[in-house]
Amino acid sequence: MLSSRVTKEKTDRPLSTWSLLEIQKPKQHSERKPDSTKSEPLPEELNCANYITNIPVEARPSEVFDYIHSGAVQALHMYPSTDRHVHEAAKLVFTEAKRAAHLVDQARGPFHCYMGDTRLYVSYNRNGSRAYEGPKTRVLIIEGPRELMTYEHWKESFNNACFYLLDRWSYQPCAQGDRMKMEFRFLSAGMAKACSDEIKSEHQEEDEHRVSVTSGRDVCDADYLEPWAAPKLFIF
C-alpha cells in the first residue's frame, strides 16, 4: 500500500486539449489551396516529440504521466477516441531530443512499452518539436500562509493567467508551522510559466502574505523517483 501522503494528491479530469481546440477553431472554407511552403520533417536527432497510440479509452493525463520516466516533459496533448479510432492517443514532448529517442527505442525493443496490460505504440511525432527554450519544468511549488493554501484560491490565479490543464496537485511538507506548500503539475511548461508569472505579479511587494513560487522538479525525469510513489516506468 502506498503512503497516506499519496491520498492527498488530487487529479483533474479536464477537457482534452484536442477537444478544446476543436470547439474554439473557427470554421474553415472547404476550398483551401495547397500549402506550397510546407516544411520538411524535423530530423529525428532534433525531434523531442513522440506520438503514442493505443492508450486505453478514458485514460487521464495523470495516468499517462504515471508511466513516464524517460525524461522531463515539456508538454502532453491528449487525443480522445473517435468512431475511427477506438483508443486514445497522445503527443508527448520532452525537453530533450534524446529522451524522445529513448522512448522510441524502448517501444521498438524486445519488451515493448505497456500501460497496464495494454501495449503502447510509440513513434516520432510527424510534425516534430525542437528542444524547448523556456523553463524546463511543468511543476510549480507555491509556499504561503495557511489561509491562502487551498486549491480554490490558486485556481482563481491560474484562471486569470491562461487556459491550463493540471496533471495533479498535492500538499508538500513545510518547515514553518504557520505556512504551507503546494505542488502543482501542469500538462505543459508553458502553462506553468504563465501561472508563475501571474502569481509573481500579484505578490510583487513583500507583504503579510509572503507568497513564494518556485519551479519544481518533474518526477518524469529519468533519474528522479519519489521514494513514496509507485514506480513511473513503462512495464517491461
Side-chain angles (χ1 to χ4, degrees):
M1 181 178 291
L2 299 179
S3 165
S4 60
R5 180 179 173 187
V6 177
T7 64
K8 295 181 179 180
E9 286 197 335
K10 308 294 182 182
T11 60
D12 277 3
R13 183 160 178 73
L15 284 171
S16 71
T17 304
W18 178 258
S19 298
L20 188 82
L21 290 175
E22 285 296 298
I23 293 170
Q24 294 181 340
K25 186 170 59 177
K27 297 288 186 181
Q28 300 291 335
H29 195 280
S30 58
E31 295 181 3
R32 296 183 62 189
K33 294 182 179 180
D35 184 2
S36 60
T37 62
K38 189 174 182 180
S39 60
E40 294 295 323
L42 190 66
E44 291 183 355
E45 62 269 20
L46 299 177
N47 193 350
C48 299
N50 292 139
Y51 187 64
I52 305 174
T53 57
N54 212 42
I55 298 173
V57 176
E58 296 187 355
R60 303 182 181 189
S62 57
E63 293 175 279
V64 175
F65 280 119
D66 282 343
Y67 283 88
I68 302 299
H69 196 53
S70 303
V73 174
Q74 186 266 314
L76 172 69
H77 302 277
M78 296 288 292
Y79 301 89
S81 59
T82 66
D83 292 339
R84 293 180 57 190
H85 304 283
V86 297
H87 294 92
E88 293 190 357
K91 178 182 179 181
L92 179 68
V93 186
F94 290 99
T95 58
E96 298 178 287
K98 65 181 180 180
R99 304 305 182 188
H102 174 78
L103 194 55
V104 170
D105 290 344
Q106 185 176 349
R108 292 173 178 172
F111 301 104
H112 310 302
C113 294
Y114 289 84
M115 186 173 180
D117 295 328
T118 304
R119 180 180 172 183
L120 302 179
Y121 299 96
V122 183
S123 60
Y124 282 103
N125 181 260
R126 185 186 307 165
N127 297 327
S129 295
R130 293 179 180 272
Y132 184 56
E133 298 297 331
K136 298 189 182 299
T137 178
R138 59 186 181 88
V139 182
L140 292 185
I141 305 293
I142 305 174
E143 180 181 328
R146 283 181 172 272
E147 61 269 21
L148 295 184
M149 303 309 291
T150 65
Y151 170 73
E152 290 73 20
H153 175 81
W154 296 114
K155 179 180 178 181
E156 184 175 349
S157 292
F158 299 160
N159 288 340
N160 291 333
C162 66
F163 167 74
Y164 71 95
L165 296 171
L166 284 178
D167 164 9
R168 71 196 75 193
W169 62 272
S170 62
Y171 289 101
Q172 301 294 319
C174 186
Q176 297 176 263
D178 60 338
R179 295 173 64 79
M180 295 184 69
K181 284 184 180 180
M182 297 180 71
E183 179 189 81
F184 293 90
R185 303 180 195 172
F186 294 82
L187 263 63
S188 79
M191 294 174 187
K193 173 67 163 55
C195 291
S196 175
D197 290 345
E198 175 68 20
I199 294 171
K200 290 177 180 177
S201 68
E202 290 178 353
H203 300 275
Q204 288 181 344
E205 298 181 2
E206 188 72 19
D207 57 18
E208 68 275 10
H209 294 316
R210 303 190 323 278
V211 171
S212 67
V213 55
T214 57
S215 297
R217 190 170 181 183
D218 191 346
V219 296
C220 295
D221 206 348
D223 57 352
Y224 178 74
L225 183 65
E226 295 168 301
W228 49 269
K232 294 179 176 56
L233 293 169
F234 280 99
I235 299 174
F236 281 66

